[in-house]
Amino acid sequence: MIKRFTAWFKGLSPGVQGMLIMIPLLLIGILLNWGRIWEGIVKGFSFFNR
């Protein structure tokens, strides 16, 4: 199964390979900084409640 996956992955274009690698890294970054992201969202919506 791993051999099939690596063969499939190598058959993709370099742009798609990069995107598939960056998506999990982006999700990990969001999870690690969720407190700061949520704080920014709350501050953004509090601007409209003035």
Side-chain angles (χ1 to χ4, degrees):
M1 182 166 169
I2 294 174
K3 289 182 181 181
R4 277 189 193 171
F5 178 74
T6 54
W8 171 77
F9 188 77
K10 288 180 181 178
L12 297 172
S13 67
V16 176
Q17 287 179 353
M19 189 173 61
L20 287 175
I21 292 172
M22 293 303 289
I23 288 172
L25 294 176
L26 176 67
L27 293 175
I28 289 170
I30 288 172
L31 290 174
L32 290 176
N33 292 316
W34 181 248
R36 293 180 69 191
I37 293 170
W38 185 250
E39 182 180 333
I41 292 171
V42 169
K43 284 184 180 180
F45 280 110
S46 70
F47 174 78
F48 294 109
N49 290 333
R50 291 183 189 176

